[in-house]
Amino acid sequence: WSVNGTNRVGGLIGNIDSGLVDRATSSADVGPGSEQSPGFGIGGIVGTATNSAFSNLDASGDVTGDANVGGALGTATESTVANLTASGDVEIFSTGGGGAIGFGSGNFTNIHATGDVDGGQQIGGLIGTYQGNGTLQTATASGKVNGSNTVGGLVGRASANITAATASGEVTGNQYVGGLAGQSNDTLNDVHATGNVFGGGNVGGLIGENHGDVSNSDATGNVESEGDNVGGLIGFSEEGNVSTT
């Protein structure tokens, strides 16, 4: 079955504010109403969410959209998410796409995605764009990720803390490409990447471009690039402390 619309489209809920969702499952394929209106805020379970709490979610359908597109949640702003699994493939035309969450801010725990993610910029195997004062912890992503800029096996652009996370999928992009994060601006601890990474410039086995602290982390995949700033762990790092890697 399928659910189609323009903006704020979800397999179960289109838009939720200050709500609670627990023990929800959807196998719907979710996408835009037409190719001319590709839509933003598209998710396998919820399109857009603000100040809400989610727990025990399972999404298995494929999701397609323009911006802020996620296998389970298109956007989850200032929200909490616990125990989420997403297994569908995600296709993103513009910015902000992830195997589980397109755009997120808040505390996210025990989040896992296995589907492939294909599209534009700020895309990740788990979350496309992650920012704010929260923490992402106990997270995995195993799907292949293919995009243009700011592409990561787990998170495309990370501006919040991440701990105890692993990405194992192959990652391909142009600029700012990493096995775990395309770009990181905050603290990463106990994070690991095992997939091969292919990119143009600012390419790393773990992080493409880093502006935060990294500790107790490693990358074991091959890294291939024809550009500059290429590293087995980090392509380019500025103002961040790197230790025990």
Side-chain angles (χ1 to χ4, degrees):
W1 61 299
S2 63
V3 178
N4 298 304
T6 303
N7 300 314
R8 305 179 187 92
V9 183
L12 297 181
I13 301 172
N15 189 9
I16 184 172
D17 191 344
S18 304
L20 169 66
V21 178
D22 182 34
R23 295 181 174 86
T25 300
S26 177
S27 60
D29 293 333
V30 183
S34 68
E35 294 182 0
Q36 288 73 32
S37 301
F40 69 86
I42 314 292
I45 292 179
V46 175
T48 62
T50 306
N51 297 316
S52 296
F54 301 94
S55 56
N56 305 306
L57 306 183
D58 187 351
S60 57
D62 296 336
V63 183
T64 303
D66 187 58
N68 296 342
V69 181
L73 308 174
T75 70
T77 305
E78 298 301 322
S79 298
T80 61
V81 182
N83 306 325
L84 181 157
T85 300
S87 56
D89 295 335
V90 175
E91 183 177 10
I92 171 94
F93 302 129
S94 180
T95 303
I101 302 170
F103 171 91
S105 62
N107 290 312
F108 302 158
T109 305
N110 198 27
I111 313 296
H112 308 282
T114 59
D116 296 338
V117 181
D118 185 79
Q121 57 187 354
Q122 293 188 28
I123 67 169
L126 190 76
I127 303 175
T129 305
Y130 181 54
Q131 63 186 45
N133 297 319
T135 297
L136 169 66
Q137 59 182 343
T138 315
T140 63
S142 59
K144 292 182 179 180
V145 183
N146 180 40
S148 58
N149 300 325
T150 322
V151 181
L154 189 83
V155 179
R157 185 175 187 268
S159 298
N161 297 332
I162 301 175
T163 185
T166 300
S168 57
E170 180 180 286
V171 182
T172 304
N174 185 19
Q175 293 287 327
Y176 312 113
V177 184
L180 186 99
Q183 182 184 68
S184 176
N185 301 299
D186 214 310
T187 300
L188 304 182
N189 178 56
D190 187 21
V191 297
H192 313 276
T194 61
N196 296 330
V197 182
F198 306 90
N202 298 295
V203 180
L206 190 74
I207 308 167
E209 181 180 68
N210 178 60
H211 299 279
D213 295 340
V214 182
S215 60
N216 304 309
S217 302
D218 60 64
T220 58
N222 297 325
V223 179
E224 296 185 16
S225 171
E226 295 182 355
D228 299 330
N229 299 332
V230 181
L233 190 76
I234 300 171
F236 174 79
S237 187
E238 181 181 42
E239 299 180 351
N241 297 318
V242 180
S243 62
T244 318
T245 56

